[in-house]
Amino acid sequence: MNEESSTSLESEIQRRQLEQARELVKLMESGDDLQAGKLIEELGRMHESLLFQQIGKLTRDLHEALNGFRMDSRLSEITEEEIPDAKERLNYVVVMTEQAANRTLTAVETVLPLIESLTQQASELGSDWQRFRQRELSADDFRELSRKLDLFFEQMNQNSELMRRNLSDVLMAQDFQDLTGQVIRRVINLVQDVEENLVGLVRISGQRLSNPDAKFKQEQKDTATLTTGTGPTVPGTSDAKQEVMTAQDDVDDLLSSLGF
Amino acid sequence: MKILIVDDFSTMRRIIKNLLRDLGYNNTSEADDGSSALPMLQNGNFEFLITDWNMPNMPGIELLKAVRADARLKDLPVLMVTAEAKREQIVEAAQAGVNGYIIKPFTAETLKEKIEKIFERLQTAD
């Protein structure tokens, strides 16, 4: 209820009550009991009607506030769609980071034994080579050393190719930071949105706050996000509502249908 | 060949830079969004542009349109590497004149294949 109008209403009523009270004292002093009785009744009625007026106004305010709340589509959209979506998006972050960590760990676990084996062989060959330089090797020992050397070179070739492949896998696994970063930024935006709407809700409960612009703003936002981009497509969210390419092959097919 | 890599995530720029080095392209520069990339392109004899879509300030699609609208840059080959995968967006990029479109996450092989395809096409067009 508007504070200013309620105080002016109250003071008006008070002024009239005071007037009638003085009138009542006069009537009682002059001994006019009949008129005094009527005045007492009227005073009671006035009090009641003030109460009813105030209750009526409160009811109307509450009704309008509830309607305004219901019409604020942004808030219902957030609760019905975007909060559940945000949970899926954060789940996607958990899955992606886990995959990246496992991919990296697998590569490291593959490469470490390869390096150990090469180091081991190199140190054995090193000591054989020292013995050869000091002319301590027999002809048979030398044949054995050259056989080991052949084997070492062959393994070196194979292992370095394997190590290269695993290291590039570690490199590619880091793409999770970009993909999850985009998703997390989107959730941060939602949290800000929720915060703003909650502040609005607090204001509504204080005084009626209608927000007819909310829906229009949201529509504008939807077309704008296609240009700015919305980040990775997360399964199980509203992302799936639009036609989305899930694999590079789909993109290639679409582009070739467009004459690429 | 001088290549500009545009992405707001430095990790992704490093990944692409390393993949390009593997493919034999060592002369790369980086920018973190369209508005910093455009002046670099206008001043720097770049022969190839690889750009993300979702970036602050100037998104990749706007950068692509700005490149096509610039008399000196209009023929620059542009490869989009992005997580944006809506049909509408891919069509928009195609209409804006993109030369290739890769969706993240991608593989080293995909990047190699698309770059080779773009240059093959450009050679046959000449």
Side-chain angles (χ1 to χ4, degrees):
Chain A
M1 185 186 288
N2 190 317
E3 217 171 279
E4 210 178 297
S5 75
S6 84
T7 36
S8 74
L9 187 71
E10 270 169 30
S11 66
E12 166 67 13
I13 300 276
Q14 249 177 7
R15 196 186 56 76
R16 282 178 57 196
Q17 280 177 332
L18 195 64
E19 219 172 70
Q20 283 174 313
R22 285 199 189 102
E23 176 82 16
L24 182 62
V25 173
K26 256 189 247 166
L27 286 170
M28 287 176 83
E29 275 170 355
S30 67
D32 190 346
D33 287 350
L34 190 67
Q35 283 302 318
K38 276 184 186 168
L39 204 53
I40 289 171
E41 255 175 56
E42 203 183 312
L43 271 166
R45 269 205 308 278
M46 226 170 94
H47 185 71
E48 269 173 26
S49 86
L50 173 68
L51 205 65
F52 281 132
Q53 264 177 21
Q54 284 188 331
I55 289 173
K57 195 162 186 311
L58 270 175
T59 311
R60 199 167 57 243
D61 280 349
L62 182 65
H63 178 74
E64 280 174 6
L66 284 174
N67 270 347
F69 182 44
R70 231 175 273 133
M71 278 186 311
D72 190 349
S73 61
R74 182 75 197 108
L75 204 62
S76 62
E77 205 174 80
I78 286 175
T79 50
E80 280 164 24
E81 192 168 272
E82 293 183 30
I83 296 281
D85 267 15
K87 284 192 251 170
E88 279 305 313
R89 285 182 211 288
L90 291 178
N91 249 330
Y92 170 87
V93 171
V94 174
V95 171
M96 291 293 283
T97 48
E98 188 187 354
Q99 275 176 1
N102 280 326
R103 216 170 139 190
T104 307
L105 290 171
T106 305
V108 170
E109 284 165 4
T110 315
V111 168
L112 282 179
L114 297 180
I115 293 176
E116 273 160 29
S117 143
L118 287 178
T119 314
Q120 168 84 29
Q121 287 182 65
S123 107
E124 275 174 32
L125 287 170
S127 61
D128 283 354
W129 180 246
Q130 280 308 314
R131 286 173 58 214
F132 170 74
R133 303 231 313 183
Q134 284 155 14
R135 299 170 206 281
E136 286 170 13
L137 286 193
S138 66
D140 278 350
D141 286 343
F142 183 74
R143 266 191 293 276
E144 178 63 15
L145 172 61
S146 68
R147 194 191 59 81
K148 277 190 195 165
L149 270 172
D150 282 340
L151 194 71
F152 179 71
F153 290 137
E154 196 190 310
Q155 284 208 342
M156 189 67 206
N157 268 336
Q158 282 175 359
N159 288 1
S160 53
E161 171 52 25
L162 250 173
M163 288 191 277
R164 196 200 60 80
R165 219 185 305 148
N166 277 285
L167 285 176
S168 40
D169 215 31
V170 170
L171 177 85
M172 289 311 291
Q174 309 313 307
D175 69 357
F176 82 93
Q177 205 269 327
D178 171 11
L179 297 169
T180 59
Q182 292 186 57
V183 171
I184 291 173
R185 277 187 190 160
R186 218 177 147 175
V187 175
I188 291 174
N189 284 339
L190 173 67
V191 171
Q192 268 169 354
D193 222 8
V194 169
E195 189 189 358
E196 279 166 23
N197 274 274
L198 284 180
V199 170
L201 185 59
V202 169
R203 244 184 288 146
I204 277 176
S205 61
Q207 72 183 79
R208 205 180 76 79
L209 178 103
S210 68
N211 196 358
D213 289 344
K215 197 169 181 194
F216 174 67
K217 275 188 205 143
Q218 182 55 25
E219 276 163 7
Q220 274 188 322
K221 207 173 140 197
D222 283 345
T223 48
T225 47
L226 273 188
T227 307
T228 55
T230 51
T233 309
V234 179
T237 67
S238 62
D239 292 351
K241 274 191 200 161
Q242 274 152 305
E243 199 178 340
V244 167
M245 308 293 134
T246 49
Q248 184 63 39
D249 285 346
D250 298 335
V251 178
D252 295 349
D253 289 348
L254 174 61
L255 285 175
S256 70
S257 79
L258 294 167
F260 269 68
Chain B
M1 187 171 54
K2 206 172 163 192
I3 303 176
L4 182 64
I5 306 163
V6 190
D7 199 304
D8 53 334
F9 281 89
S10 65
T11 43
M12 184 49 73
R13 294 200 301 270
R14 281 174 73 179
I15 290 172
I16 294 174
K17 188 183 166 155
N18 276 292
L19 291 175
L20 288 175
R21 202 186 44 213
D22 251 16
L23 296 174
Y25 304 107
N26 292 303
N27 192 2
T28 54
S29 300
E30 300 174 29
D32 61 3
D33 89 314
S35 57
S36 57
L38 196 58
M40 288 174 78
L41 290 168
Q42 283 161 339
N43 300 320
N45 303 312
F46 285 97
E47 291 157 276
F48 195 62
L49 168 64
I50 296 180
T51 183
D52 183 23
W53 183 312
N54 185 7
M55 293 180 291
N57 303 319
M58 190 188 207
I61 187 73
E62 299 297 329
L63 176 63
L64 171 63
K65 288 175 184 170
V67 163
R68 291 291 174 253
D70 187 303
R72 281 181 308 151
L73 297 175
K74 65 177 175 33
D75 295 323
L76 180 73
V78 180
L79 174 64
M80 210 137 204
V81 180
T82 174
E84 302 301 321
K86 293 181 187 68
R87 185 193 162 86
E88 219 178 315
Q89 292 173 308
I90 298 164
V91 171
E92 190 185 353
Q95 284 166 348
V98 81
N99 298 80
Y101 201 105
I102 295 177
I103 51 169
K104 295 172 183 171
F106 62 99
T107 62
E109 290 70 37
T110 305
L111 184 71
K112 181 171 184 271
E113 187 194 309
K114 299 300 165 199
I115 291 179
E116 280 170 357
K117 209 167 157 191
I118 288 172
F119 287 116
E120 242 170 61
R121 283 239 173 80
L122 289 175
Q123 271 164 3
T124 48
D126 281 341

